Amino acid sequence: MNNLTEFEKYVIEQKGTERPFSGEYVDYDAQGVYCCKKCLAPLYKSEHKFNAHCGWPAFDDEIAGAVKRTPDADGRRVEITCHQCGGHLGHVFEGEMLTDKNIRHCVNSVSMVFKPVEELNQLASQKSTQKATFGAGCFWCVEAIFTQLNGVLSVQSGYCGGNACDANYDAVCSGKTAHAEVVHITFDPNIINYETLLTVLFESHDPTTLNQQGNDKGPQYRSVIFAHNSQQVDAANTFIEYLTAQRIWPNPIVTQITAFDTFYAAESYHDDYFAKHGEQPYCQLVVKPKFDKVMAKFADKRK
C-alpha cells in the first residue's frame, strides 16, 4: 500500500471529493493506465477516458474486475471503489448519452496514479525477454518451482509492494514495511507464455488464504501478482475469473493484482535456497512436497 497524504486519506478513505477542475488528470490525455493511488491496482486504460466537461476525469469503461459498485445509502447515486483495497474513487452514472457506451465513471484525480504506456504497456514484440513478478508465500518454495521451467531464464527472490524505500529480510518479516516476498522472473515468451506462468503460480499455492501460506503468516506471504504491463493485467484478471467460475476452491480467491513498481533483491543467502539446503527440515517438510507435486504436474514444461 502507498502512504497517503491527509487530503488523499480524506478522499480515498473518508469518501471525500476534490474540487471540480482542480485534479491533475481532468484534461490528461497521455497513453497508459490509471491505477489506484492506495494499492496501485490497475483501474482504467487511457482509451476508456473521455472529456465529459464535468470537472473530474471521466471514463466509459473499466479494466475487468477492477471497480466495485455500491449504491449510496439514499439510493440516489452509485459509488465506485477499488475492488482490491476499497479505496473511494467517485461515482458512476448511466443514461447521459455522452459516449456510445452510455456510462460515465466520475473519478477523483487524487484517487489515481497514472502509469505511462512506456512503463506499463511494452509489447512483447519489442523485447526478446519479459518479466513476471509473483508473490505466493515463502519465496524459497516459489523460486525452486519456477527455476525448473523451460523458457524461464532467471528467477530472483526479493521484495515488492511495500511502503518503505528499502527492504531487507528482517524488516519485511516484521510485517511493518508491507512488502511481499516475491520472485522476479525473466522469461522467453517464445518458449513459455505468461498464461503458463499463471497456471504454475496458482498450482503452487493457495490463493484463498489472506496473508498466509500454511504456517507462514503475515502480509509478506500474501498472494499477489505485480503486473508489468496492461496485457499482464488483462491476463491475470481473465485467469482469476476463469478459476472462480470453475469453483476449484471452496473459498474466494484473494490474490491481489497490482502494478509493478520497485523490486528489491533479497540477500544473497536466499539464492537457490532449496537447491543448496534441501536437507533442512523446512525444505523437507514444506518446500519439497510442494515442489514434487507441481513438478509432476508440469513435467512436460521442465528444462
Side-chain angles (χ1 to χ4, degrees):
M1 297 288 181
N2 278 338
N3 290 322
L4 302 178
T5 66
E6 289 304 312
F7 182 66
E8 289 167 350
K9 290 179 181 178
Y10 164 69
V11 174
I12 297 171
E13 297 180 347
Q14 301 171 31
K15 303 185 185 300
T17 303
E18 63 191 8
R19 291 181 295 104
F21 298 102
S22 67
E24 178 182 2
Y25 300 126
V26 174
D27 297 317
Y28 207 70
D29 61 359
Q31 298 298 302
V33 176
Y34 294 84
C35 301
C36 173
K37 174 67 71 67
K38 185 175 182 179
C39 72
L40 292 181
L43 302 170
Y44 304 100
K45 298 179 182 180
S46 54
E47 55 261 38
H48 300 155
K49 193 173 186 292
F50 70 99
N51 192 347
H53 305 285
C54 62
W56 293 273
F59 304 86
D60 67 356
D61 206 345
E62 71 213 64
I63 292 174
V67 176
K68 180 180 179 181
R69 293 166 169 76
T70 306
D72 283 350
D74 59 12
R76 298 177 61 183
R77 297 189 301 177
V78 176
E79 181 194 11
I80 47 176
T81 55
C82 171
H83 193 275
Q84 181 159 283
C85 73
H88 176 73
L89 302 175
H91 288 83
V92 64
F93 303 92
E94 298 186 44
E96 298 174 324
M97 301 302 294
L98 297 177
T99 71
D100 291 340
K101 294 180 180 178
N102 199 21
I103 192 168
R104 173 170 65 97
H105 290 244
C106 184
V107 186
N108 291 285
S109 288
V110 74
S111 295
M112 302 182 293
V113 61
F114 181 77
K115 298 286 185 178
V117 68
E118 292 80 8
E119 181 178 344
L120 262 182
N121 204 22
Q122 293 288 341
L123 296 177
S125 61
Q126 295 176 317
K127 306 171 72 174
S128 58
T129 62
Q130 294 183 17
K131 300 288 187 181
T133 306
F134 302 138
C138 174
F139 47 32
W140 295 346
C141 302
V142 190
E143 181 202 53
I145 291 169
F146 280 98
T147 299
Q148 297 299 313
L149 299 178
N150 189 30
V152 169
L153 306 178
S154 68
V155 182
Q156 188 171 20
S157 293
Y159 317 104
C160 199
N163 299 323
C165 59
D166 196 4
N168 60 72
Y169 189 67
D170 289 338
V172 171
C173 284
S174 74
K176 296 179 180 179
T177 71
H179 287 93
E181 289 194 12
V182 302
V183 290
H184 194 48
I185 301 166
T186 302
F187 66 99
D188 184 343
N190 297 308
I191 300 174
I192 188 169
N193 59 32
Y194 187 70
E195 287 73 13
T196 300
L197 297 179
L198 289 174
T199 302
V200 174
L201 171 69
F202 282 95
E203 285 286 346
S204 60
H205 80 298
D206 184 347
T208 70
T209 52
L210 185 64
N211 296 334
Q212 178 180 353
Q213 288 299 308
N215 292 323
D216 295 327
K217 299 180 181 180
Q220 69 271 30
Y221 299 118
R222 66 186 181 272
S223 175
V224 57
I225 297 169
F226 291 97
H228 288 255
N229 53 53
S230 61
Q231 286 91 350
Q232 290 189 2
V233 172
D234 292 341
N237 275 303
T238 299
F239 199 82
I240 290 174
E241 288 174 1
Y242 167 77
L243 294 176
T244 300
Q246 295 298 307
R247 299 181 179 179
I248 296 174
W249 290 277
N251 298 314
I253 293 174
V254 296
T255 303
Q256 296 178 345
I257 302 174
T258 299
F260 175 82
D261 192 358
T262 304
F263 170 77
Y264 298 98
E267 296 79 355
S268 59
Y269 64 83
H270 294 292
D271 295 342
D272 300 317
Y273 194 90
F274 177 59
K276 296 175 180 177
H277 307 283
E279 299 307 315
Q280 289 194 0
Y282 183 88
C283 291
Q284 284 294 307
L285 297 175
V286 178
V287 183
K288 190 175 187 303
K290 186 178 295 187
F291 176 86
D292 290 344
K293 176 184 175 182
V294 177
M295 288 297 98
K297 189 161 189 176
F298 292 94
D300 62 325
K301 302 297 182 182
R302 295 190 66 171
K303 293 177 180 177

